[in-house]
Amino acid sequence: MTGVLARGSSPVDWCEVNYGTSSVIAEFYNTISNVLFFVIPPILIYLFRRYAKQISWEVNIIWVLLTVVGISSAYFHATLSLVGQLLDEIAILWVIMAALAIWFPKRYLPFVFQSNRASFKLMMAVFAAVTSGLACIVPAVNAFVLIFMGIPLATLMFSELNHCRCDRVINLGLRCGLMLLIAMTMWFNDRLFCEFWSSINFPYLHCGWHIMIFLASYTCCVLFAYFDAQTKVPEQMPVLQFWPRDSWERLGIPYVTLKLVAAKPVSTTY
C-alpha cells in the first residue's frame, strides 16, 4: 500500500518539469490549474437551485463530482502517486457515468428502461463500479480510455443540438465543441509531443487542458440539463441564462432556470 502512495509511483508523468517550481509540489502549474474545479461548482449549485427543486436534485451530484475531480487531479499532480492517478481517473469516470445516467435521452433508452429510469441509473452505477476496478489493472492506459469514453457524450450533445431551435443554446453548444477540441489538442500535444514543447520552454499545455476541459465539461452538462428540462417540463418554459449578467453570453456562467414554476416537482423516476 505504501508503494502506491509514494511520490512518483504513477507510470504517468506529464511534460512539466517535476519540482521545477516548488520543492514539495511535483507539477506546480498542473496542480494549481485545477482551480476552476473548486470555484465554479458551488456557484452552479446556487444557480441551479430552481432546476434542482423542480426537475432533479441529482444535478448537484454532477457539480460535486466535478469538485472531486479537481481535488483528485490536484493531489495527483502534486505527488505523481499511483493512488492519486487512480483517484483522478476514477472520479472522471463517475462524472461521465453520472451524466449519462441522469440525462441520457429517454427516446434512446432500451425498451426495458423506458418506463423506469431508476433501473437504468442502477445499471450505470454497477457499470461504473466494475470499470473502476478494472481501471486499477493497467493504469497506464486509463487516460486514453477516458478520452475516448467522452466521444459518445459529445456525439449525443451534437445530436440534441440538431433538434434545438434556440440560437442561444446552439451557440453555447458550438462554443462547447470548440473548447473540447482545443482541450483535446492540448492533451495529445502534451502527452505525445513533450520533447518539442520542452525544447521551446513551454511544457505547460496540460495546464490549459485542465482549464479548457473543465469549461467544456460543465458547459456540456448545462446543455444536457437544458435538453432534459425541455423534454420533461416544457410548460414551465426552461431557459438558458448567464450569470452574473444575462447579456454576458461569452463571459458569463451558463445555467438553466424556469420562467414558470409548477406547484409540484416532476418525478425523477422516469
Side-chain angles (χ1 to χ4, degrees):
M1 185 63 182
T2 305
V4 299
L5 289 169
R7 288 176 174 269
S9 56
S10 170
V12 177
D13 189 5
W14 297 95
C15 201
E16 183 182 351
V17 177
N18 297 342
Y19 301 102
T21 303
S22 168
S23 61
V24 295
I25 300 176
E27 295 176 346
F28 181 80
Y29 293 106
N30 283 349
T31 300
I32 65 172
S33 59
N34 287 287
V35 62
L36 292 182
F37 287 89
F38 297 88
V39 175
I40 304 298
I43 298 174
L44 289 168
I45 290 174
Y46 171 76
L47 295 174
F48 271 80
R49 63 195 185 280
R50 181 171 291 182
Y51 178 99
K53 181 178 180 180
Q54 292 293 320
I55 300 177
S56 176
W57 63 268
E58 294 167 330
V59 65
N60 290 328
I61 294 176
I62 301 296
W63 310 139
V64 171
L65 283 174
L66 283 175
T67 303
V68 173
V69 170
I71 295 171
S72 302
S73 179
Y75 173 66
F76 166 53
H77 289 289
T79 64
L80 293 180
S81 65
L82 179 57
V83 72
Q85 177 198 337
L86 294 175
L87 287 172
D88 184 16
E89 292 164 347
I90 290 172
I92 295 171
L93 169 68
W94 278 87
V95 170
I96 295 173
M97 293 296 103
L100 287 172
I102 297 169
W103 291 315
F104 194 84
K106 181 180 178 181
R107 64 180 179 276
Y108 297 139
L109 287 174
F111 178 77
V112 68
F113 299 124
Q114 284 285 326
S115 60
N116 190 353
R117 182 174 284 269
S119 297
F120 177 68
K121 292 175 182 177
L122 177 60
M123 184 195 73
M124 295 301 290
V126 171
F127 179 79
V130 172
T131 308
S132 297
L134 295 174
C136 301
I137 297 176
V138 189
V141 303
N142 289 348
F144 291 94
V145 173
L146 287 171
I147 288 291
F148 289 105
M149 282 184 70
I151 294 176
L153 266 178
T155 303
L156 190 59
M157 181 190 75
F158 284 111
S159 174
E160 292 298 290
L161 283 173
N162 284 333
H163 296 91
C164 183
R165 295 295 178 265
C166 176
D167 289 341
R168 172 174 274 201
V169 175
I170 293 171
N171 289 337
L172 183 63
L174 293 176
R175 290 201 298 274
C176 179
L178 178 60
M179 289 187 292
L180 183 60
L181 180 61
I182 294 172
M184 298 289 287
T185 301
M186 288 179 168
W187 191 91
F188 278 106
N189 267 272
D190 189 271
R191 191 82 175 113
L192 302 177
F193 304 108
C194 175
E195 186 175 344
F196 168 76
W197 292 105
S198 295
S199 70
I200 61 174
N201 297 316
F202 195 76
Y204 306 114
L205 287 179
H206 199 73
C207 304
W209 150 263
H210 284 158
I211 295 168
M212 297 307 296
I213 198 59
F214 174 80
L215 294 174
S217 297
Y218 98 82
T219 300
C220 183
C221 291
V222 170
L223 288 167
F224 275 117
Y226 174 82
F227 301 141
D228 189 52
Q230 284 287 356
T231 300
K232 289 180 177 176
V233 291
E235 71 282 356
Q236 295 188 47
M237 301 176 64
V239 291
L240 177 69
Q241 294 187 338
F242 293 84
W243 181 87
R245 291 188 179 182
D246 194 38
S247 59
W248 291 9
E249 291 192 28
R250 288 183 172 82
L251 298 176
I253 298 175
Y255 67 100
V256 179
T257 190
L258 306 169
K259 286 187 176 181
L260 302 175
V261 178
K264 184 179 179 181
V266 299
S267 171
T268 58
T269 303
Y270 300 101

